[in-house]
């Protein structure tokens, strides 16, 4: 079956996050009487969630921004169905649309998709250790909901374990990543090329899942063009991705991003097109493990590689 990649006081406090550099992570209160087992909150990360599900196919989606992902133990005198229904009602009362609310029986499409998105969110890499297995290996119910208000998009994902009275509550609010945290200098770029025969172009950034270069990359592109204008020779521009989102998609995306940089250097900065050749290797040459966020960030990159003259 194909998988396409596109009332208790639960909401006593809901803060809406703005740009990730300034605001709190969005907060949805846990079920009353729940015990906190693990907490994770960052200003910028990615949440993968189930956006729709039918009898034969499911659709997953991602959102980037402020994120909280907390693991709770629910009260012993409560059943999973009450937890699920309570979140449904509280979220609807707060203006959220329920995207998915399903049981995830063993060997079902719902369960395999829930396991897939939980795996993509890499709970162990976020410090959950073996506690993550209670929801990650055997989800019993899954809920996702979204709300867009005042231009702010928020997604809530709830996964209840079928093995223990434990649930994961994940809340993401779309926000732009802080720009300007990586800067390319001509000196550093030249030194990398001379030492290793290549240089990593982390300062060139793209929209999520897209080959569109962000406007904040202008300074880095200017520096790359400056280095190319001061040096002879030809270069490969090679795109790399992390290992999330599917192999074919990543191969295509990495090639498209490399081509976008070549196009910008040629059209905007006058670099001779015959000196540059683009290509993409997707997730095939990682610099670090894809099991954690830090590693995936390192793996999402474009490299400028010296090319031998024929």
């Amino acid at each position: 079956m194909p998988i396409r990649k596109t009332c208790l006081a639960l909401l006593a406090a809901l803060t809406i996050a703005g740009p990730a550099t300034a605001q709190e992570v969005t907060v949805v209160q846990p079920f009353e009487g729940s015990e906190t087992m693990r907490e994770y909150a960052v200003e910028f990360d990615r949440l993968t969630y189930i956006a729709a599900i039918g009898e034969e196919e499911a659709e997953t989606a991602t959102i980037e921004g402020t994120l909280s992902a907390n693991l709770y133990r629910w009260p012993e005198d409560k059943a999973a169905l009450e937890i699920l229904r309570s979140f449904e009602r509280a979220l609807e009362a707060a203006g959220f649309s329920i995207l998915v609310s399903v049981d995830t029986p063993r060997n079902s499409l719902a369960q395999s998709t829930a396991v897939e998105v939980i795996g993509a969110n890499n709970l162990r890499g976020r410090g959950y250790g073996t506690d993550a297995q209670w929801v990650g290996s055997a989800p019993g119910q899954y809920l996702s909901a979204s709300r867009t208000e005042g231009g702010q998009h928020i997604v809530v994902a709830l996964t209840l374990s079928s093995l223990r009275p434990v649930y994961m509550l994940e809340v993401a609010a779309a926000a732009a990543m802080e720009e300007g945290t990586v800067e390319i200098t001509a000196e550093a770029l030249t030194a990398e090329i001379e030492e290793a025969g290549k240089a990593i172009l982390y300062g060139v950034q793209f929209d999520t899942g897209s080959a569109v270069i962000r406007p904040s990359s202008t300074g880095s592109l200017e520096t790359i063009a400056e280095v190319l204008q001061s040096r002879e020779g030809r270069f490969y521009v090679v795109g790399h991705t992390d290992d999330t989102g599917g192999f074919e998609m990543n191969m295509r995306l990495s090639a498209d991003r490399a081509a976008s940089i070549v196009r910008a250097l040629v059209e905007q900065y006058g670099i001779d097109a015959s000196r540059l050749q683009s290509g993409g290797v997707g997730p095939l040459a990682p610099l670090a493990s894809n099991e954690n966020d830090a590693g995936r960030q390192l793996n999402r990159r474009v490299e400028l590689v010296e090319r031998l003259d024929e």
Side-chain angles (χ1 to χ4, degrees), residues 61-208:
T62 60
I63 177 174
E64 291 188 351
T66 55
L67 174 68
S68 67
N70 299 329
L71 190 68
Y72 299 100
R73 187 185 306 277
W74 73 70
E76 292 183 0
D77 60 346
K78 299 296 181 181
L81 183 61
E82 182 177 352
I83 309 296
L84 182 69
R85 294 287 183 256
S86 297
F87 272 99
E88 284 179 355
R89 294 171 186 173
L91 287 164
E92 287 176 334
F96 283 80
S97 297
I98 304 299
L99 304 174
V100 173
S101 182
V102 293
D103 291 331
T104 56
R106 187 175 180 181
N107 298 325
S108 66
L109 173 64
Q111 186 188 66
S112 64
T113 309
V115 169
E116 176 186 333
V117 298
I118 293 167
N121 291 332
N122 190 34
L123 301 183
R124 290 196 177 191
R126 292 171 178 171
Y128 284 84
T130 56
D131 288 333
Q133 70 182 335
W134 302 127
V135 292
S137 62
Q141 289 82 22
Y142 183 89
L143 165 71
S144 63
S146 70
R147 185 182 81 177
T148 301
E149 185 174 282
Q152 177 69 67
H153 184 54
I154 304 171
V155 172
V156 176
L158 173 72
T159 310
L160 291 86
S161 170
S162 64
L163 300 175
R164 295 286 190 277
V166 171
Y167 64 92
M168 174 67 66
L169 179 61
E170 299 168 289
V171 186
M177 185 174 66
E178 182 179 1
E179 304 288 3
T181 56
V182 177
E183 181 180 354
I184 293 178
T185 66
E187 294 78 11
L189 197 60
T190 299
E192 281 190 63
I193 293 172
E194 292 181 349
E195 180 178 342
K198 67 177 183 178
I200 300 176
L201 311 179
Y202 281 125
V204 183
Q205 299 172 335
F206 298 87
D207 291 339
T208 302

Side-chain angles (χ1 to χ4, degrees), residues 236-240 254 258 277-282 301-305:
Y236 296 110
V237 179
V238 186
H240 298 256
S254 63
Q277 181 174 336
S278 67
V281 296
R301 68 197 192 278
V302 177
E303 295 182 346
L304 185 66
V305 181

Side-chain angles (χ1 to χ4, degrees), residues 15-26 42-43 66 152:
T15 59
I16 299 176
T21 56
Q23 299 294 328
E24 262 180 60
V25 173
T26 305
V42 291
E43 292 182 337
T66 55
Q152 177 69 67

